[in-house]
């Protein structure tokens, strides 16, 4: 069967075409400026993104993993320490802990939102626990208030992973405005995505922002004077220029995502699929629209035959990856493992057309004997 149309999972080139004159003009300005590391364009984007997230400071870095790693390092997390991380997340969350020489300790997700379950935290805390690293997964916020209450009780730091949460709100306030440092990724597929790698940290703590900025600049605040053993992780001004253009459209693009998510949820309620649930305190940015079905692989093949591209976020939990296989041998995270075998992300993005969305819905409501 030849599908009547192809539906990409996410059309990045369409986003570029929509803003092509503005993006190319902003990039050309950087190229003509002669300032190719740091400079005014990066500083302006940092100021705008801090304001958009409700934070006092923004530090641009090389990518989302660096944002997590540098924040943990700036907080003094190191060998012998433990950091509580979700069992259901992209491996970068765990890698940031490992790069500090600390140990990631998995916490199983809430069975409804799939984000870190606060009720599982205290059982995972030991005398070595130094921090909690919750992830706002798929664009749905984690329940921050109970996590913060536990963190205060045990005197733990909280670092939020906001890589999928550009524009997400928790209890009416944007992620970034709740008092914790937040690590962000600007990978091209994010709600606010660059044309390459990029990342940032937002925080209200002036001393922390200075340490993060210093660590990302070779451990230096003054040229050729190095107070710390640092890294080279700085947001490229070309990417900052692109992000500055896109930031002005983020709210509208997220609005389209929300409308699309509502359309999916209403139309697919008649199917046997498990659809995303939105907590009453959450206003997701819908980075991903993740459904579940026990016959996920068959469903993905069925959709592919109809020209519909889907992805799996994520097919293997971090504790089952070879990188952590030895440390986690014999230890199970049953809910994360179940999710890995059942989740499927449908096409979602601000450039997805009504016709494409309807084709996805039609295919999923006509699965017949496939499922």
């Amino acid at each position: 069967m030849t599908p009547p149309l192809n539906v990409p999972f996410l059309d990045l080139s369409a986003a570029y075409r929509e803003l092509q004159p503005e993006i190319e003009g902003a990039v050309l300005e950087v190229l003509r400026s002669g300032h190719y590391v740091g400079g005014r364009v990066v500083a302006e984007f940092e100021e705008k993104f801090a304001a958009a997230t409700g934070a006092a400071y923004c530090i641009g870095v090389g990518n989302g993993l660096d944002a997590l790693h540098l924040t943990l390092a700036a907080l003094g997390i190191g060998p012998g320490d433990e950091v509580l991380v979700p069992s259901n997340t992209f491996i970068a969350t765990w890698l940031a802990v490992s790069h500090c020489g600390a140990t990631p300790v998995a916490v199983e997700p809430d069975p409804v939102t799939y984000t870190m379950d606060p009720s599982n935290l205290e059982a995972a805390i030991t005398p070595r626990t130094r921090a909690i690293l919750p992830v706002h997964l798929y664009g749905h916020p984690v329940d921050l208030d109970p996590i913060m209450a536990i963190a205060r009780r045990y005197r733990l730091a909280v670092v939020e992973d906001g890589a999928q949460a550009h524009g997400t709100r928790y209890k009416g306030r944007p992620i970034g405005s709740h008092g914790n440092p937040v690590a962000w990724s600007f990978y091209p597929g994010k709600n606010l995505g660059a044309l390459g790698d990029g990342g940032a940290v937002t925080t209200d703590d002036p001393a922390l922002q200075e340490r993060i900025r210093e660590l990302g600049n070779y451990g230096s605040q003054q040229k050729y004077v190095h107070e710390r053993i640092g890294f080279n992780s700085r947001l490229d001004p070309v990417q900052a220029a692109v992000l500055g253009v896109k930031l002005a459209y983020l709210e509208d693009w997220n609005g389209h995502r929300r409308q699309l998510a509502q359309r999916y949820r209403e139309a697919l309620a008649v199917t046997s699929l498990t659809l995303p649930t939105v907590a009453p305190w959450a206003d997701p940015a819908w980075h991903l629209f993740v459904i579940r079905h026990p016959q996920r692989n068959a469903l993905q093949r069925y959709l592919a035959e109809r020209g519909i591209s889907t992805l799996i976020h994520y097919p293997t939990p971090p504790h089952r990856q070879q990188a952590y296989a030895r440390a986690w041998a014999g230890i199970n995270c049953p809910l994360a493992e179940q999710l890995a075998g059942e989740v499927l992300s449908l096409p979602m993005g601000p450039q997805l057309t009504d016709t494409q969305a309807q084709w996805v819905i039609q295919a999923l409501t006509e699965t017949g004997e496939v499922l």
Side-chain angles (χ1 to χ4, degrees):
M1 179 189 76
T2 301
L5 73 160
N6 290 310
V7 182
F9 177 75
L10 178 66
D11 191 346
L12 294 177
S13 61
Y16 164 69
R17 290 192 299 272
E18 181 177 330
L19 305 179
Q20 183 173 348
E22 291 182 72
I23 288 175
E24 292 182 355
V27 170
L28 188 58
E29 182 181 343
V30 173
L31 298 182
R32 289 172 171 170
S33 73
H35 296 285
Y36 303 137
V37 176
R40 176 184 59 82
V41 173
V42 174
E44 287 179 354
F45 171 73
E46 289 176 336
E47 183 178 351
K48 291 177 182 178
F49 190 67
T53 61
Y57 305 99
C58 171
I59 310 98
V61 298
N63 53 68
L65 174 55
D66 284 356
L68 288 166
H69 173 215
L70 293 173
T71 303
L72 292 171
L75 289 169
I77 305 298
D81 296 333
E82 294 178 349
V83 178
L84 306 188
V85 295
S87 60
N88 180 45
T89 186
F90 181 56
I91 197 171
T93 312
W94 288 45
L95 293 176
V97 177
S98 298
H99 285 327
C100 290
T103 301
V105 176
V107 175
E108 282 275 74
D110 180 283
V112 176
T113 66
Y114 312 147
T115 60
M116 178 182 276
D117 190 341
S119 67
N120 292 330
L121 282 174
E122 289 195 85
I125 294 174
T126 75
R128 296 171 57 191
T129 306
R130 289 283 309 282
I132 306 172
L133 210 172
V135 177
H136 302 293
L137 193 68
Y138 309 150
H140 190 289
V142 71
D143 194 357
L144 279 172
D145 283 353
I147 291 176
M148 290 304 300
I150 292 169
R152 287 190 295 269
R153 191 178 313 141
Y154 290 90
R155 298 183 179 179
L156 305 175
V158 174
V159 177
E160 301 174 43
D161 185 336
Q164 301 180 10
H166 310 86
T168 292
R169 291 179 175 267
Y170 173 72
K171 295 189 175 180
R173 294 166 55 193
I175 297 304
S177 66
H178 297 89
N180 306 312
V182 183
W184 304 89
S185 169
F186 301 128
Y187 184 77
K190 305 300 185 185
N191 290 39
L192 181 62
L195 297 184
D197 271 321
V201 181
T202 55
T203 180
D204 291 340
D205 185 335
L208 181 63
Q209 73 91 18
E210 285 186 6
R211 290 196 298 273
I212 294 170
R213 197 177 294 280
E214 183 180 302
L215 281 170
N217 187 42
Y218 299 100
S220 172
Q221 293 187 35
Q222 179 183 347
K223 195 167 185 177
Y224 302 133
V225 178
H226 303 270
E227 295 86 0
R228 304 172 188 269
I229 297 176
F231 306 88
N232 176 13
S233 183
R234 300 171 293 199
L235 181 62
D236 185 275
V238 169
Q239 302 303 341
V242 173
L243 292 166
V245 171
K246 287 188 172 184
L247 182 59
Y249 294 87
L250 178 63
E251 186 174 348
D252 288 343
W253 283 2
N254 280 350
H256 184 86
R257 288 174 180 270
R258 291 183 174 101
Q259 292 173 3
L260 179 57
Q262 185 62 23
R263 184 175 178 183
Y264 276 158
R265 293 175 73 201
E266 291 176 356
L268 300 178
V270 299
T271 69
S272 61
L273 303 169
T274 299
L275 302 179
T277 298
V278 178
W281 35 258
D283 183 9
W286 294 104
H287 173 60
L288 299 172
F289 190 93
V290 180
I291 62 175
R292 287 174 61 189
H293 197 280
Q295 299 179 53
R296 187 269 314 283
N297 293 343
L299 176 60
Q300 187 176 40
R301 288 192 296 270
Y302 166 86
L303 293 174
E305 290 169 357
R306 283 151 182 80
I308 299 169
S309 298
T310 58
L311 292 177
I312 300 170
H313 297 89
Y314 299 98
T316 306
H319 72 285
R320 291 296 182 214
Q321 297 284 355
Q322 186 174 350
Y324 290 101
R326 180 175 298 178
W328 285 81
I331 300 177
N332 297 317
C333 296
L335 184 49
E337 291 163 17
Q338 181 183 1
L339 291 172
E342 295 182 357
V343 295
L344 187 67
S345 300
L346 299 184
M348 168 61 74
Q351 283 74 39
L352 194 74
T353 67
D354 289 343
T355 301
Q356 290 172 325
Q358 187 56 41
W359 178 235
V360 174
I361 290 167
Q362 181 179 333
L364 287 168
T365 53
E366 294 179 355
T367 54
E369 297 180 0
V370 174
L371 301 178

